[in-house]
């Protein structure tokens, strides 16, 4: 399970970083989303991985899953959601204003037309 | 003793109330917004008086004691930053109202108050994850403020600003996660406590997390190589917002002082102060590049944005020196540069408006109405920003340079700071003569809709330069004490983790 989770985080993060480095806004937004997924899994794993353990403190011994990382992930998801919504709205605005979805708003298409 | 949370609640409640009264006209919104700012100032002053008596005021939110709950920590540095923010915000809001910037789009006042909410929260929190949340709040408000109204290139500059900060937030979470994974706590004081007795095999992981945090704060402070977003964002947005953003870079500096200064301070064992070389070389590099930026700017607002960078990099260098004297100079210079940069942005807007179509371009243009008065203000601002005597910048920079005498790298620090100051002085003299002397005198002066009313908020902010000199003695005493307290991490840990010993 540890291996799968670690690989998931690695794949999500590297895909996110690769997409952030693209020149169009849509891939960049996708990249930011993937990166935040990677972060969320990473935060979750920081409470260590347990199976079949009580959420806070159960009757049996001291074994329990740490609830704090789950609260952190929840907060991070909510914030990430708001940010993604904002950046999508902003890139749509940039698209309508600058006439293309290049991250620097370059008017390549118009130039070719002229 | 709720004084620690009042500076956070005041702008938050004002923001919500402003939303409720949005149909009652702009005038009511303005009154409420200004009233909330005055209340914030009063609340912060009373908090300051309490801090002077008790040193640390720890406020456990919901009654959950540290390290289990989130605490707010009110101390000298945090309350000083809150007061500086409210003064700067007052100048910016005043100008926004007089110049009708707040009418150019919906919800200016709401966003303005929420921005203050995020800023004050970031200054007062004692919890790393809570710091992340307040960072997000102040960033979200700043994204909207940056795009407020219409302006050339604002969308593009905003897009860059938002994306780089979102990437920064992800890094912040990675760092927070790593720290929690190793130490099992997120309270800054508890982290400092746990890191001082860390087993050897965990040290390198924590070191990586700490440097990751430094990258995030460096991004906020616009340190090399993460400064490229700043000049565009600051020069393209509206003047009051740019003025308020003068405090945003200082949030990064403050976070480095608070988080790294406390967690990786002198008691951190193997990790004690391991971050300072990064700060030093990053700061020196930023200062060199920012000076080149100032010299090569073809537009007034871009130039001032680079001047903000110059002051930030000076602060980074002085933080890296890691001594009480340097910290005292840092705090003094931080307050000075925040207020001056804010006022300078407002003045630049007045100049741009006066010059009509030519705007802020540094080229030959006709003279304009009130040019002598505006020119005088520009002259005084240039003196303050370039750190010439007799204004406060000179004091701050002298304090920093005095502290640098005993540093190992003193030669490099002196050379870079002094050369950069010289080049900034020359460039500002050149800009001033371009704007006010080298004008087309054959044509009539341009008529501009700039009134004396526009200049009052600028004079208000400028007044702090002489005031900080006149009251330099009590102020430097205050910053000296503050610096001593920042280095006395034991007292901070005692106050936060063991509240019976603290002020409560």
């Amino acid at each position: 399970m540890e291996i799968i989770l670690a690989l998931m985080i690695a794949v999500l993060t590297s895909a996110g970083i690769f997409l952030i480095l693209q020149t169009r806004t849509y891939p960049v937004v996708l990249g930011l989303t993937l990166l935040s997924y990677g972060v969320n899994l990473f935060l979750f794993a920081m409470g260590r991985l347990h199976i079949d353990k009580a959420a806070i403190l159960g009757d049996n011994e001291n074994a329990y899953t740490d609830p704090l990382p789950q609260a952190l992930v929840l907060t991070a998801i909510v914030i990430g959601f708001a940010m993604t919504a904002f950046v999508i709205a902003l890139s749509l605005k940039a698209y309508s204003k600058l006439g293309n979805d290049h991250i620097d708003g370059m008017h390549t298409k118009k130039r070719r037309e002229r | 003793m709720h004084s620690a949370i009042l500076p956070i609640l005041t702008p938050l409640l004002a923001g919500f109330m402003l939303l409720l009264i949005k149909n009652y006209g702009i005038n009511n919104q303005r009154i409420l917004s200004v009233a909330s700012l005055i209340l914030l100032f009063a609340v912060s002053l009373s908090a300051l008086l309490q801090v002077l008596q008790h040193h640390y005021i720890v406020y456990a939110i919901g009654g959950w004691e540290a390290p289990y709950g989130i605490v707010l920590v009110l101390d000298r540095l945090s309350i000083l930053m809150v007061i500086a923010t409210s003064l700067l915000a007052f100048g910016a809001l005043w100008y926004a109202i007089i110049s009708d910037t707040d009418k150019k789009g919906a919800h200016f006042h709401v966003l303005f108050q929420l921005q203050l909410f995020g800023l004050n929260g970031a200054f007062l929190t004692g919890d790393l994850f809570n710091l992340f949340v307040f960072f997000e709040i102040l960033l979200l408000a700043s994204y909207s403020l940056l795009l407020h109204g219409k302006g050339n290139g604002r969308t593009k500059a905003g897009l860059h600003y938002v994306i780089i900060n979102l990437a920064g937030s992800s890094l912040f979470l990675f760092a927070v996660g790593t720290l929690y994974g190793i130490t099992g706590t997120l309270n800054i004081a508890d982290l400092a406590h746990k890191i001082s007795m860390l087993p050897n095999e965990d040290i390198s992981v924590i070191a990586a997390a700490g440097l990751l945090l430094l990258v995030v704060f460096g991004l906020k402070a616009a340190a090399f190589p993460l400064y490229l977003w700043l000049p565009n964002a600051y020069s393209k947005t509206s003047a009051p917002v740019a003025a308020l953003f003068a405090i945003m870079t200082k949030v990064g500096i403050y976070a480095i002082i608070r988080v790294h200064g406390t967690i990786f301070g002198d008691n951190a064992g193997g990790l004690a102060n391991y971050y300072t070389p990064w700060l030093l070389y990053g700061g020196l590099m930023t200062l060199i590049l920012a000076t080149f930026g100032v010299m090569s700017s073809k537009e007034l607002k871009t130039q001032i944005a680079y001047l903000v960078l110059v002051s930030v990099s000076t602060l980074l260098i002085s933080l890296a020196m890691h001594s009480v004297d340097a910290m005292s100079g840092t705090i003094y210079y931080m307050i000075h540069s925040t207020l001056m940069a804010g006022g300078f942005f407002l003045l630049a807007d007045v100049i741009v408006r006066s010059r009509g179509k030519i705007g802020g371009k540094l080229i030959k243009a006709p003279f304009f109405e009130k040019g002598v008065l505006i020119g005088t203000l520009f002259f005084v601002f240039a003196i303050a920003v370039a750190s010439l005597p007799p204004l406060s910048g000179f004091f701050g920079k002298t304090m920093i340079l005095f502290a640098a005498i005993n540093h190992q790298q003193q030669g490099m620090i002196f050379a870079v700071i002094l050369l950069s100051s010289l080049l900034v002085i020359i460039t500002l003299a050149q800009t001033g003569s371009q704007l006010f002397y080298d004008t087309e005198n054959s044509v009539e002066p341009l008529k501009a809709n700039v009134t004396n009313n526009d200049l009052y908020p600028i004079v208000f902010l400028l007044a702090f330069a002489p005031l900080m000199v006149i009251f330099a003695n009590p102020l430097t005493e205050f910053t000296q004490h503050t610096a001593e307290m920042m280095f006395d991490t034991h007292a901070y840990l005692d106050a936060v983790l063991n509240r019976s010993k603290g002020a409560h």
Side-chain angles (χ1 to χ4, degrees):
Chain A
M1 185 167 65
E2 280 83 357
I3 290 282
I4 296 174
L5 191 76
L7 279 177
M8 260 336 274
I9 296 171
V11 168
L12 282 172
T13 310
S14 45
I17 290 172
F18 175 77
L19 285 174
I20 282 181
L21 299 175
Q22 302 301 304
T23 52
R24 309 259 157 202
T25 48
Y26 186 65
V28 171
V29 174
L30 264 188
L32 286 169
T33 318
L34 286 185
L35 194 58
S36 74
Y37 290 163
V39 169
N40 289 341
L41 278 182
F42 179 77
L43 273 182
F44 185 73
M46 279 303 119
R48 305 297 186 268
L49 301 172
H50 299 287
I51 294 177
D52 285 345
K53 292 279 151 46
I56 301 181
L57 276 177
D59 298 330
N60 57 329
E61 298 119 53
N62 296 322
Y64 67 100
T65 52
D66 192 348
L68 194 77
Q70 301 174 17
L72 301 186
V73 171
L74 208 57
T75 317
I77 288 174
V78 173
I79 291 176
F81 217 60
M83 292 296 176
T84 312
F86 187 85
V87 78
I88 286 175
L90 182 61
S91 47
L92 279 177
K93 188 186 170 187
Y95 179 71
S96 67
K97 211 163 195 179
L98 305 169
N100 64 76
D101 66 344
H102 194 281
I103 201 94
D104 279 330
M106 299 213 289
H107 293 271
T108 41
K109 206 176 168 189
K110 275 186 187 166
R111 250 182 233 148
R112 221 176 289 144
E113 277 169 7
R114 276 174 208 161
Chain B
M1 296 259 268
H2 295 284
S3 48
I5 202 168
L6 285 178
I8 302 178
L9 283 185
T10 311
L12 176 66
L13 292 178
F16 290 162
M17 272 157 71
L18 280 163
L19 260 183
L20 290 176
I21 65 159
K22 72 175 164 97
N23 293 331
Y24 291 84
I26 190 87
N27 276 331
N28 288 325
Q29 290 186 32
R30 286 173 172 180
I31 291 169
L32 181 57
S33 203
V34 172
S36 131
L37 215 50
I38 292 171
L39 184 65
L40 172 64
F41 186 66
V43 163
S44 323
L45 271 191
S46 82
L48 173 70
L49 292 179
Q50 289 185 26
V51 166
L52 287 179
Q53 261 183 359
H54 301 291
H55 301 302
Y56 293 102
I57 295 173
V58 180
Y59 186 85
I61 295 175
W64 291 90
E65 309 266 320
Y68 303 108
I70 291 171
V71 291
L72 302 176
V73 185
L74 192 64
D75 68 352
R76 282 164 167 256
L77 184 61
S78 53
I79 195 62
L80 192 65
M81 296 306 291
V82 169
I83 289 176
T85 310
S86 64
L87 290 175
L88 179 73
F90 192 76
L93 189 66
W94 191 353
Y95 187 86
I97 289 174
I98 278 175
S99 65
D100 281 343
T101 312
D102 55 347
K103 280 187 189 167
K104 286 185 182 139
H107 302 311
F108 177 86
H109 291 289
V110 179
L111 294 168
F112 196 89
Q113 296 293 335
L114 291 182
Q115 172 86 70
L116 292 179
F117 165 60
L119 283 166
N120 289 347
F123 290 138
L124 290 171
T125 185
D127 184 276
L128 205 54
F129 194 77
N130 198 225
L131 181 69
F132 164 77
V133 173
F134 276 120
F135 264 20
E136 295 305 301
I137 291 170
L138 74 91
L139 282 174
L140 200 48
S142 79
Y143 301 154
S144 319
L145 276 179
L146 184 81
L147 295 160
H148 190 267
K150 288 167 195 149
N152 273 338
R154 211 166 277 184
T155 315
K156 186 181 137 192
L159 195 61
H160 291 184
Y161 177 72
V162 172
I163 287 174
I164 193 159
N165 274 306
L166 284 180
S169 302
S170 304
L171 289 185
F172 199 156
L173 281 178
F174 273 123
V176 164
T178 314
L179 283 177
Y180 182 81
I182 301 283
T183 62
T185 181
L186 286 170
N187 182 290
I188 294 175
D190 200 30
L191 271 171
H193 176 66
K194 295 246 166 76
I195 279 174
S196 60
M197 39 195 195
L198 210 60
N200 264 334
E201 69 261 24
D202 287 339
I203 279 188
S204 53
V205 183
I206 292 288
L211 286 183
L212 210 52
L213 273 183
L214 196 66
V215 170
V216 177
F217 299 151
L219 174 70
K220 300 277 181 293
F224 172 81
L226 303 162
Y227 66 94
L228 289 165
W229 56 272
L230 184 138
N232 247 331
Y234 279 39
S235 59
K236 293 291 191 304
T237 185
S238 60
V241 176
L244 185 66
F245 279 14
I247 195 83
M248 295 272 286
T249 48
K250 308 314 191 278
V251 176
I253 303 276
Y254 171 84
I256 294 174
I257 299 179
R258 175 66 71 204
V259 175
H260 288 83
T262 311
I263 299 183
F264 304 110
D266 292 331
N267 305 318
L271 292 174
N273 305 319
Y274 78 108
Y275 65 96
T276 49
W278 296 90
L279 270 189
L280 180 65
Y281 295 113
L284 288 170
M285 205 59 208
T286 319
L287 186 53
I288 294 170
L289 290 171
T291 312
F292 288 158
V294 172
M295 288 164 69
S296 64
S297 303
K298 291 177 182 140
E299 213 265 340
L300 183 60
K301 283 186 174 175
T302 317
Q303 191 164 56
I304 298 173
Y306 274 112
L307 284 172
V308 171
L309 261 184
V310 168
S311 69
V312 165
S313 46
T314 312
L315 290 170
L316 287 174
I317 295 170
S318 119
L319 266 190
M321 287 188 246
H322 196 75
S323 67
V324 173
D325 290 340
M327 181 66 83
S328 166
T330 311
I331 297 165
Y332 186 92
Y333 193 74
M334 181 147 67
I335 305 297
H336 148 84
S337 65
T338 307
L339 297 173
M340 288 309 112
F344 215 174
F345 270 119
L346 298 181
L347 183 71
D349 190 57
V350 168
I351 295 173
V352 168
R353 277 163 59 195
S354 301
R355 285 173 39 126
K357 259 194 246 166
I358 295 136
K361 284 192 203 111
L362 296 175
I363 49 170
K364 199 163 184 164
F367 204 53
F368 42 85
E369 263 189 337
K370 294 196 198 294
V372 179
L373 185 58
I374 295 173
T376 314
L377 284 176
F378 182 89
F379 183 63
V380 183
F381 263 113
I383 288 177
V385 169
S387 310
L388 288 174
L391 295 179
S392 49
F394 176 70
F395 269 69
K397 218 167 237 182
T398 312
M399 284 162 84
I400 292 174
L401 286 179
F402 254 124
I405 290 177
N406 296 322
H407 194 268
Q408 290 168 334
Q409 306 280 4
Q410 39 152 297
M412 199 149 60
I413 295 173
F414 265 83
V416 173
I417 289 189
L418 289 178
L419 267 178
S420 141
S421 302
L422 178 68
L423 292 173
V424 166
I425 292 167
I426 294 173
T427 316
L428 280 176
Q430 201 182 12
T431 308
S433 43
Q434 180 73 69
L435 289 172
F436 301 105
Y437 290 128
D438 189 17
T439 50
E440 291 167 14
N441 293 324
S442 50
V443 291
E444 281 279 294
L446 291 171
K447 293 260 186 252
N449 57 345
V450 173
T451 59
N452 280 343
N453 280 342
D454 286 320
L455 299 178
Y456 290 138
I458 300 171
V459 175
F460 167 75
L461 287 174
L462 182 58
F464 288 99
L467 279 178
M468 281 180 74
V469 174
I470 294 169
F471 296 104
N473 190 27
L475 255 178
T476 44
E477 256 174 40
F478 183 86
T479 57
Q480 194 78 24
H481 274 152
T482 312
E484 279 163 16
M485 282 174 69
M486 292 316 296
F487 279 90
D488 187 9
T489 43
H490 282 302
Y492 180 82
L493 262 60
D494 285 346
V496 176
L497 297 177
N498 184 5
R499 293 175 64 202
S500 56
K501 266 193 192 171
H504 208 74

